[in-house]
Amino acid sequence: MLNPPRAYLYLDAVARAGSIRKAAEKLHVASTALNRMILELEEQAGTPLFERLPRGVRLTAAGEVLVHTVRRSLSDLRSAQSQIEQLRGLVRGTVRLGCAESVATDLVPSAIVQYQSQHPGVQFQVVSGVTNHLVQLLGQDEVELVLVHDPAPSDDLQVISRLHQPLCAMVRPDHPLAERSSLRLTDCQQYPVALGDRSFGSRRLLDAVMARSRITLRPMIEASTVQLLKEFTRQTGAISFQFEIGTLQEARRGELVSIPLVDAALGRSELVLAVREGRRLPSATLSFVELLVSRLAEITP
């Protein structure tokens, strides 16, 4: 096993924890020893790496530069370890994935189960959330790949696969609109709706259409989780909105009906599988990417 320099691990831990004491507890070392290591690093760098605050520490500009380099080095070391294990005929390690909530309860879990049935030595760390936050984690090497909706174009983002994803209205089978094969947002105006909060990419799309066309929706609730919105729809009959891939599980079960919205601005979204440009991925992550690409291809109409 390739062990990274202890100073790298200590510096990264303090930066993440924002506290020498908390980092020491996580590392199972004495806080005095950890503080001494940080002071030695600051002496070698010739400048403070952390601001000492009343309740913790915060990276200085110099500290940000060093931590960024350290994290890239730790990431490269994990990749090297993975490649060595691949040469030995092993697929081990940890795949770190950031994914949209729309795929967090169906596609991603089933893909992981399928992958681990063939590679039981591989573990997964999965973070779900909104696109901007997950792309930020990717740039910081907190995750190795992301599966997100409509990330902003960036030279730092290497797109591996794209899947067209219209926004859909989700309704109960007994809803007056349930028999429709498609809808426009205006069709939803007369009914109660459940909306994601303004961090949702789907909410920003809806808000843009409403602003341009003067459509007014009647939200009974705004929420920060997709599952809460779906459950609210099940219990109250209010219309909620979700990208198509996030509706498949409920549609299969017959719990909810998914109806594509055909407004031009709501039909151009994409689900994107991407990595950081220039990132050398561990072998386990590379092989999981292949599985995800094939699974996405199966979904493509």
Side-chain angles (χ1 to χ4, degrees), residues 6-242:
R6 184 176 298 176
Y8 283 18
L9 296 176
Y10 283 11
L11 181 66
D12 182 51
V14 174
R16 291 179 190 278
S19 162
I20 290 176
R21 179 184 59 79
K22 290 179 181 178
E25 291 174 357
K26 185 173 182 179
L27 293 167
H28 304 293
V29 299
S31 59
T32 52
L34 182 54
N35 186 56
R36 187 163 54 250
M37 172 70 78
I38 297 300
L39 292 173
E40 290 175 0
L41 287 173
E42 290 180 324
E43 183 177 353
Q44 293 170 22
T47 186
L49 302 175
F50 292 94
E51 294 179 50
R52 271 60 177 182
L53 306 173
R55 295 188 177 181
V57 295
R58 180 172 58 203
L59 284 168
T60 62
E64 291 277 4
V65 171
L66 184 57
V67 165
H68 182 71
T69 301
V70 162
R71 288 175 177 168
R72 291 285 173 93
S73 298
L74 292 173
S75 178
D76 288 344
L77 191 61
R78 285 192 294 267
S79 178
Q81 178 67 50
S82 177
Q83 292 174 44
I84 291 170
E85 290 180 345
Q86 188 176 31
L87 291 173
R88 295 168 54 207
L90 303 172
V91 180
R92 294 180 179 170
T94 301
V95 176
R96 296 176 297 147
L97 167 67
C99 68
E101 259 199 279
S102 61
V103 295
T105 59
D106 189 4
L107 174 65
V108 166
S110 64
I112 291 173
V113 169
Q114 180 182 347
Y115 184 83
Q116 288 183 325
S117 68
Q118 301 171 3
H119 307 293
V122 176
Q123 297 178 324
F124 282 78
Q125 294 177 355
V126 181
V127 180
S128 65
V130 296
T131 295
N132 290 345
H133 177 60
L134 295 175
V135 170
Q136 183 181 24
L137 294 181
L138 184 70
Q140 297 170 346
D141 285 330
E142 298 286 337
V143 296
E144 298 160 333
L145 64 154
V146 292
L147 187 59
V148 294
H149 293 281
D150 300 319
S154 170
D155 292 338
D156 295 329
L157 205 64
Q158 179 186 343
V159 175
I160 298 171
S161 182
R162 298 179 183 272
L163 177 64
H164 174 244
Q165 280 295 288
L167 192 64
C168 297
M170 297 190 73
V171 299
R172 286 199 319 206
D174 61 353
H175 194 280
L177 298 176
E179 299 299 320
R180 298 279 294 272
S181 60
S182 65
L183 293 171
R184 302 188 71 85
L185 195 57
T186 52
D187 297 322
C188 303
Q189 282 191 105
Q190 61 181 302
Y191 302 103
V193 301
L195 296 179
D197 67 25
R198 297 183 190 279
S199 68
F200 280 40
S202 58
R203 174 62 183 274
R204 290 193 291 274
L205 290 174
L206 291 169
D207 284 349
V209 172
M210 286 189 284
R212 285 196 299 269
S213 56
R214 297 182 181 178
I215 295 172
T216 301
L217 296 179
R218 294 188 293 151
M220 295 178 67
I221 187 174
E222 295 187 13
S224 62
T225 71
V226 169
Q227 284 305 110
L228 192 155
L229 294 171
K230 290 180 180 179
E231 186 59 31
F232 193 80
T233 294
R234 276 191 285 261
Q235 293 194 27
T236 69
I239 301 172
S240 57
F241 302 93
Q242 177 57 259

Side-chain angles (χ1 to χ4, degrees), residues 233-289:
T233 294
R234 276 191 285 261
Q235 293 194 27
T236 69
I239 301 172
S240 57
F241 302 93
Q242 177 57 259
F243 292 109
E244 186 176 41
I245 199 165
T247 70
L248 300 180
Q249 188 176 61
E250 288 76 18
R252 283 196 305 268
R253 295 171 177 170
E255 298 172 350
L256 297 174
V257 177
S258 172
I259 310 169
L261 293 165
V262 295
D263 304 74
L266 303 179
R268 295 194 294 263
S269 289
E270 292 181 315
L271 180 68
V272 173
L273 177 63
V275 298
R276 175 174 63 77
E277 183 66 44
R279 174 76 161 85
R280 290 183 293 178
L281 295 176
S283 59
T285 305
L286 280 172
S287 58
F288 183 65
V289 165

Side-chain angles (χ1 to χ4, degrees), residues 161 163 292-301:
S161 182
L163 177 64
L292 275 181
V293 169
S294 67
R295 292 290 296 267
L296 292 172
E298 293 171 2
I299 298 169
T300 304

